[in-house]
Amino acid sequence: MNRPVIITCAITGSVPQKKDNPAVPITVNEQVESTHEAYEAGASIVHIHVRDDDGKPCSDVNKFELVISGIKKFCPDIIIQTSTGGRGRDANKRGSSLVLNPDMASLATGSVNFPHSVYENSPDLICDLAKTMLEKNIKPEIEIFDLSMIYNAYHLVKLGLIPEPVHMQFIFGIKNGLPAEKEILEIFIREAQRYLPKLTWTASGIGRHQIEMARLSLSLGGHIRTGLEDNIRLDRFNLAPSNAALVVQAANLCEDFGCSVANPREARNLLSMTVEK
Ligand code: MG
C-alpha cells in the first residue's frame, strides 16, 4: 500500500505581503477562500497566522475566530493549526488563538536567529504554551529550528508537558538558521527518534528550498509542508498563483515517490489525534 503523506499548507505567515505575491491571502475572506482551494487540492492541515487591517502580523483573537469559523464552513474536517510563532507579535499574546481550541498549534522549543531578528522563545514561554495546549488537548507541532530544540522537546515530554506521540517539524533554509542539507535532516531524524520512537515528522524548507525539502521528506519517511508563508514561487521563474498551486505541486511529488496524499481522517490517525473538536 502507498504510504499516506500529510500535506500541511501554511497559507499566510508573518512575512510575505501582496507586493511580494498578490496571491498571499491577508484578509479573513481571502484566507478562508485560499484554505478552501488548498483543501480541495489535498491539504489536510492548514497552518494559520492572522494579519491586522494594515497587513501586519497580529494576535487578534477575533480575526482567528473568523478565519477558523469560515474554514470550518467550507472544509469541515481539515485539521486547523494556529501559529504561536513570534515574528511581529508580543510574547504575552502569542498563545491568543489557543482559547479557540484549535486542533493543533505550533510550539517552538528554543530560540534561534532569523534573518533580521532573534526568534526568542524563553523557557517560561515554552512551558506556558505547552501547558495550555495540554489542558485543552491541542496537539502541538514542535517546531525545530536547531538541534537543541529536539532535546528540550524530549525534556518537556519527560515532565509530562508534551504528550506522546510527538509530531515535529524540522525547518531548513532560513538565513542564519540551518542550511537545507540532507545530512543535517538525517541527524535530526535519528536524534529525535532515539528519544521519541513514535515520532512523526515533517521537513520544511523556506523559499527555493521548499521543494527540495519536500523531496527529502518523501524519501526519508516524513510529511510535507508547503504554502505561501514559506515560499511565494512555483519555480525559479514564476510566482505561485495560489496556495492551491503549491499543494498541487506537493501532491504531484507524492505521486512521483509512490506515496498517496493523506485525507484529513488519515492525517488524524497518523498523528494519533483521537479527539473530535
Ligand atoms: Mg508560521
Side-chain angles (χ1 to χ4, degrees):
M1 211 180 81
N2 295 345
R3 178 172 79 88
V5 168
I6 301 166
I7 300 177
T8 296
C9 187
I11 55 169
T12 302
S14 300
V15 177
Q17 296 290 345
K18 293 274 188 204
K19 68 175 167 47
D20 306 313
N21 182 335
V24 177
I26 303 288
T27 66
V28 169
N29 285 344
E30 287 171 350
Q31 289 188 302
V32 171
E33 196 176 320
S34 193
T35 302
H36 189 199
E37 291 168 3
Y39 168 78
E40 297 280 331
S44 49
I45 300 179
V46 59
H47 173 84
I48 304 167
H49 292 242
V50 291
R51 304 285 186 95
D52 67 16
D53 294 340
D54 297 324
K56 295 201 194 79
C58 70
S59 300
D60 184 341
V61 185
N62 296 326
K63 282 252 158 93
F64 271 115
E65 189 167 24
L66 288 170
V67 174
I68 290 172
S69 61
I71 289 173
K72 282 188 170 167
K73 206 182 294 173
F74 296 102
C75 324
D77 57 351
I78 199 167
I79 297 169
I80 294 179
Q81 180 188 95
T82 60
S83 170
T84 67
R87 266 191 275 215
R89 299 168 69 183
D90 289 343
N92 60 3
K93 293 187 183 147
R94 281 174 42 189
S96 66
S97 67
L98 302 179
V99 299
L100 301 169
N101 209 8
D103 299 297
M104 295 182 84
S106 59
L107 177 66
T109 49
S111 302
V112 68
N113 278 357
F114 276 170
H116 308 289
S117 59
V118 179
Y119 183 28
E120 194 176 316
N121 292 289
S122 70
D124 283 351
L125 175 66
I126 297 166
C127 281
D128 285 350
L129 290 170
K131 264 183 206 154
T132 307
M133 291 182 206
L134 186 70
E135 281 161 17
K136 295 180 149 308
N137 213 338
I138 298 167
K139 174 140 183 148
E141 175 177 271
I142 310 300
E143 309 296 341
I144 301 291
F145 293 88
D146 215 344
L147 188 59
S148 60
M149 298 184 192
I150 292 174
Y151 308 110
N152 191 35
Y154 177 58
H155 175 67
L156 295 172
V157 168
K158 279 192 298 180
L159 289 178
L161 288 176
I162 295 178
E164 286 199 86
V166 171
H167 182 66
M168 284 185 178
Q169 174 167 238
F170 306 116
I171 301 110
F172 294 86
I174 295 185
K175 186 171 174 263
N176 298 329
L178 294 166
E181 287 177 13
K182 184 183 182 196
E183 290 73 12
I184 302 176
L185 174 60
E186 286 173 334
I187 291 169
F188 277 43
I189 297 165
R190 191 190 70 210
E191 282 304 276
Q193 287 180 336
R194 191 151 73 92
Y195 294 96
L196 301 162
K198 290 179 281 179
L199 179 85
T200 52
W201 60 272
T202 299
S204 69
I206 304 303
R208 67 192 164 86
H209 303 294
Q210 185 170 69
I211 199 97
E212 62 185 276
M213 291 316 296
R215 284 200 183 92
L216 281 175
S217 240
L218 286 165
S219 67
L220 296 172
H223 301 282
I224 298 182
R225 165 159 144 160
T226 189
L228 294 165
E229 168 170 349
D230 299 344
N231 167 40
I232 57 168
R233 312 192 76 85
L234 200 56
D235 55 40
R236 207 170 136 201
F237 306 103
N238 299 293
L239 289 177
S242 62
N243 274 301
L246 291 171
V247 174
V248 167
Q249 189 182 48
N252 289 340
L253 267 189
C254 290
E255 202 178 316
D256 294 347
F257 279 80
C259 297
S260 66
V261 175
N263 62 34
R265 182 179 42 79
E266 291 171 313
R268 278 175 208 272
N269 284 339
L270 287 163
L271 298 172
S272 306
M273 293 168 63
T274 48
V275 180
E276 281 290 331
K277 296 203 168 182

